[in-house]
Amino acid sequence: MIGIENIIFLIVAAVGIGLFVWQIRKIRKNVLMGRDVELTDNPSERINKTLLVAFGQQKMFKRMLPAVLHLFVYVGFIVINIEVLEILIDGIFGTHRVLGFVGPLYSGLMAINEILAALVIVSCAIFLWRRNVTKVPRLWKGPELRAWPKLDANIILITEIVLMLALFVFNIADLKRVQLAGEEVVGAYPISRFFVDIFGNDPEQLYTIAKVGWWFHILGILAFMNYLPSSKHFHIIMAFPNVYYSKLLPKGKFTTNPAITHEIKAMLDPSYQPPAPEVDAEGNPVIQRFGAKDVEDLTWKQLMDSYTCTECGRCTAVCPANVTGKLLSPRKIVMDTRDRMEEKGEHPAIFAPNHYKELGEERVETTDEKTLLRGYITPEELWACTTCNACVEACPVNIDQLSTIMDLRRFLVLEESAAPSSLNAMFTNIENNGAPWAFSPADRFNWAEDLYVPSKN
Ligand code: SF4
Ligand code: SF4
């Protein structure tokens, strides 16, 4: 029967879900600030990739310990959603364990749920240990890991532990109350049954404890859901679309700039007719920017990447520039893009990670310029990149850090002619000699003059 408690629950759930949707709309608006790009080709390959990399956690298994721990948390998250569905129905309609009618299947689900909840607690405790006690370098060091990202990671882990404990409080108290009342136990509770005596034998007290555990668990879930958009943990939602829309081209293949392609085609073939210039909604020609200076010059996918970043630092740990002490950290490029996007667009309702920026130790000297380039990411970082693709390969959620680096570099070269002098010399050579070296094309085979080449005759 629906009572006052159910009405309160309905209001709380509606506010929680509504606030989450409102934040998602802000994020969508931010991502759509980016340039358009067509990424819907080859759906079957995209689905395969999503199943392997996002659902199957394929890339995580390059490091066994964090992979197994992460798997517990990930599967726990998926299975617990079934229980959340039951909580929502029970909360609205005043029922008790409404999905219990599926019998053995329900028992199996509840049992798996409890085992996974326990594994989530153990995994999160180990993750906390690795972050704060053993201080795994990739989770601890780097100018991008300022106060907020460190705090955020700890908040998430502690919240997950507390949510699971609340679930156990509910299950233990409810199980004992049902046993005392002689009612049929709905579901199987392989962990809670070992602790049934810890809350005493008073049915009323057990009822209250179960209610507190239940409310704490669901309110915690609603609060956690609304915290996600401010957190790196948002990847639990974004990883799936981000992997689906990931690059299908070979990793080393760069995209070309259509405006330059048309110009070259016209140079090679005077009869070539470039397409009419793009116009905006009012019919004004769109000024084409070569490369990217700020977030709106990047594509929506590159902006989506930055909302998907788990801040795991796997990319930075394998980056040859970073490990040899250069300023570049691919994780910083991705995190800076997100910070700048939220500075320019909107930030989620709960927290503005930008506010925590100044609390970190800065190693990268940026300027006051209010653009992604120079205001957040310096040319020195960009030119340190060897374009080796190791970061792209390492990323567990298929983020293409290199494409952002290349687009920012393109802007430096094509719009500002601000490449390092060694590269400018190479560009001049390519223009004049058709090769990066300072030799005339006529001298190209000089190296072969002294070679002994046996004649067939
Ligand atoms: S592509 Fe650039 S950023 Fe990525 S790992 Fe290689 S050097 Fe580092
Ligand atoms: S870009 Fe990928 S590998 Fe790098 S920190 Fe983010 S999620 Fe991890």
Side-chain angles (χ1 to χ4, degrees):
M1 200 185 113
I2 297 178
I4 185 76
E5 192 186 333
N6 309 110
I7 294 170
I8 293 171
F9 175 82
L10 195 61
I11 294 169
V12 170
V15 170
I17 293 168
L19 185 59
F20 180 68
V21 172
W22 181 58
Q23 296 194 78
I24 294 294
R25 286 170 70 96
K26 285 174 163 217
I27 286 173
R28 183 172 178 272
K29 204 170 151 195
N30 284 351
V31 169
L32 292 181
M33 206 192 295
R35 281 191 297 113
D36 202 12
V37 60
E38 190 54 55
L39 289 173
T40 48
D41 59 312
N42 217 336
S44 54
E45 193 180 341
R46 290 183 184 282
I47 289 168
N48 274 346
K49 234 178 218 277
T50 311
L51 290 176
L52 273 174
V53 178
F55 284 97
Q57 309 263 297
Q58 186 192 39
K59 287 184 164 186
M60 286 295 291
F61 281 90
K62 287 178 184 164
R63 289 168 195 252
M64 221 39 183
L65 176 68
V68 173
L69 297 176
H70 187 268
L71 188 71
F72 291 149
V73 179
Y74 161 71
V75 180
F77 164 73
I78 303 239
V79 175
I80 257 158
N81 276 323
I82 300 167
E83 202 228 346
V84 171
L85 179 73
E86 181 181 58
I87 286 180
L88 284 175
I89 300 173
D90 283 350
I92 294 168
F93 297 105
T95 47
H96 180 68
R97 297 204 182 272
V98 70
L99 300 181
F101 72 91
V102 289
L105 182 60
Y106 183 80
S107 295
L109 265 175
M110 286 300 111
I112 292 171
N113 215 1
E114 282 223 331
I115 292 166
L116 283 170
L119 289 173
V120 168
I121 292 174
V122 173
S123 303
C124 289
I126 298 174
F127 280 142
L128 278 169
W129 179 270
R130 278 162 57 85
R131 276 185 183 273
N132 300 294
V133 182
T134 56
K135 294 192 175 170
V136 174
R138 73 185 162 88
L139 303 174
W140 189 255
K141 282 193 186 151
E144 67 276 23
L145 285 189
R146 302 174 184 117
W148 171 249
K150 283 179 184 165
L151 180 64
D152 178 34
N154 285 328
I155 290 174
I156 292 159
L157 292 169
I158 291 166
T159 308
E160 285 183 4
I161 291 176
V162 172
L163 285 178
M164 294 305 113
L165 287 177
L167 176 71
F168 278 120
V169 168
F170 167 60
N171 279 353
I172 292 167
D174 189 53
L175 182 61
K176 183 71 181 179
R177 186 194 59 78
V178 168
Q179 283 175 350
L180 286 176
E183 294 169 14
E184 189 194 347
V185 175
V186 182
Y189 306 94
I191 306 232
S192 294
R193 71 194 180 91
F194 288 113
F195 299 95
V196 276
D197 294 325
I198 60 171
F199 296 129
N201 291 320
D202 179 351
E204 264 183 40
Q205 201 179 335
L206 286 168
Y207 179 80
T208 311
I209 293 171
K211 271 277 168 231
V212 169
W214 187 90
W215 271 98
F216 195 92
H217 184 62
I218 189 64
L219 288 180
I221 285 175
L222 289 171
F224 190 56
M225 187 170 85
N226 277 291
Y227 172 76
L228 288 183
S230 306
S231 157
K232 78 183 186 92
H233 213 52
F234 197 49
H235 75 265
I236 63 173
I237 295 171
M238 296 304 285
F240 303 96
N242 201 62
V243 172
Y244 182 83
Y245 290 117
S246 54
K247 182 176 166 183
L248 298 185
L249 294 171
K251 282 208 179 66
K253 188 164 180 179
F254 292 117
T255 53
T256 50
N257 184 311
I260 296 178
T261 307
H262 294 314
E263 218 167 286
I264 291 169
K265 282 185 176 169
M267 278 165 65
L268 295 173
D269 174 10
S271 65
Y272 177 76
Q273 284 295 322
E278 256 182 77
V279 288
D280 63 17
E282 279 96 46
N284 303 314
V286 176
I287 308 289
Q288 168 86 41
R289 182 170 265 177
F290 299 119
K293 184 179 186 185
D294 211 343
V295 279
E296 67 273 10
D297 305 324
L298 295 171
T299 65
W300 62 261
K301 172 62 173 67
Q302 287 165 323
L303 300 185
M304 193 196 225
D305 276 350
S306 69
Y307 271 122
T308 312
C309 181
T310 70
E311 296 172 16
C312 65
R314 286 161 188 254
C315 53
T316 297
V318 296
C319 172
N322 188 278
V323 295
T324 50
K326 311 251 178 4
L327 214 46
L328 174 64
S329 162
R331 171 173 57 188
K332 177 177 174 294
I333 304 287
V334 179
M335 289 170 69
D336 281 348
T337 305
R338 174 173 162 155
D339 285 356
R340 171 62 184 154
M341 183 171 39
E342 293 192 342
E343 182 185 58
K344 190 153 198 186
E346 303 195 32
H347 62 73
I350 312 293
F351 287 104
N354 272 325
H355 295 172
Y356 296 80
K357 188 176 175 181
E358 61 278 6
L359 298 177
E361 51 169 275
E362 289 295 341
R363 192 166 77 100
V364 183
E365 294 278 328
T366 53
T367 66
D368 289 337
E369 213 170 318
K370 284 280 179 201
T371 50
L372 180 62
L373 180 62
R374 297 204 175 86
Y376 283 79
I377 300 168
T378 60
E380 189 185 346
E381 291 165 82
L382 298 173
W383 292 118
C385 177
T386 66
T387 67
C388 67
N389 259 310
C391 52
V392 183
E393 181 60 38
C395 182
V397 286
N398 276 11
I399 287 171
D400 191 350
Q401 305 90 332
L402 181 55
S403 74
T404 302
I405 294 173
M406 286 305 288
D407 282 348
L408 291 163
R409 270 194 349 199
R410 274 178 179 162
F411 179 84
L412 288 170
V413 172
L414 295 170
E415 297 230 1
E416 293 189 340
S417 298
S421 54
S422 53
L423 281 180
N424 276 334
M426 184 195 75
F427 294 146
T428 310
N429 287 332
I430 289 175
E431 261 181 68
N432 296 336
N433 307 328
W437 299 282
F439 303 112
S440 147
D443 296 334
R444 195 166 284 174
F445 277 99
N446 286 358
W447 61 274
E449 264 171 20
D450 298 331
L451 287 183
Y452 169 71
V453 182
S455 153
K456 269 193 174 171
N457 302 322

